[in-house]
Amino acid sequence: MLAIQGKLYRNTAAYNSPTWAAIDLVADVQVNPAWDEADGSVRASRVKQFAKTMMGLEISARVRADLTDAGYLALLGALHSDTPLDLMILDGASSTNGVSGYRADFHVMSAGEDQSLGNVLFREFTLKPAVSSSDAQKVTVASGAPVFSDIDGS
């Protein structure tokens, strides 16, 4: 698989009947799922033991600035709003079987922009799951469509 095939999608419809629109001006995406851990060590073992507790699901996306692009404007608007965006991050197209990723309501937490002379303007958006009635989900594409399941640590 090639990273260039990865996609960042924005839901432009209702949560339970999503319409996924690709944010096409994405250059780079970093998906960083990482579990917090709790020490469960006991004297019966000389090996430290741990339990997974909560998963951090921070996403960073470098997006070329374009004030006519709906995806870019949605991300930029969410920076200045308390309303999260329903986003799906996949390692390929949403119609390609076997592709996987995550879906969640994300807050845009930051949007850095390097305005150095000679640069094309990009924003580095940092996305984190929002407090929402919809839990973050794992995504796997099967039969040509995204299938959503719980992130449960198993």
Side-chain angles (χ1 to χ4, degrees):
M1 296 180 74
L2 299 175
I4 197 169
Q5 296 170 335
K7 302 283 185 185
L8 174 59
Y9 294 95
R10 176 176 63 100
N11 181 8
T12 60
Y15 186 87
N16 290 324
S17 56
T19 299
W20 296 109
I23 300 176
D24 292 323
L25 298 179
V26 171
D28 300 312
V29 174
Q30 298 290 324
V31 181
N32 299 306
W35 287 95
D36 291 341
E37 58 190 47
D39 189 336
S41 300
V42 294
R43 292 180 183 179
S45 173
R46 292 186 60 139
V47 176
K48 290 184 179 183
Q49 299 170 334
F50 296 90
K52 292 179 177 181
T53 56
M54 304 287 293
M55 177 191 272
L57 186 57
E58 182 174 314
I59 310 293
S60 63
R62 185 171 172 258
V63 182
R64 191 173 68 217
D66 183 339
L67 296 177
T68 64
D69 182 79
Y72 174 79
L73 291 174
L75 289 166
L76 192 59
L79 174 67
H80 300 105
S81 169
D82 289 337
T83 304
L85 295 175
D86 181 6
L87 300 174
M88 180 170 66
I89 300 90
L90 300 176
D91 55 14
S94 62
S95 59
T96 303
N97 291 338
V99 162
S100 64
Y102 297 95
R103 177 191 187 183
D105 287 335
F106 285 94
H107 278 305
V108 176
M109 306 304 282
S110 66
E113 183 178 62
D114 182 353
Q115 295 184 0
S116 297
L117 186 63
N119 280 358
V120 172
L121 291 181
F122 282 81
R123 291 263 184 178
E124 182 76 31
F125 291 100
T126 301
L127 313 167
K128 293 186 178 183
V131 173
S132 170
S133 60
S134 304
D135 289 338
Q137 298 175 308
K138 298 182 291 189
V139 182
T140 304
V141 177
S143 300
V147 177
F148 306 103
S149 58
D150 292 339
I151 299 171
D152 59 8
S154 60

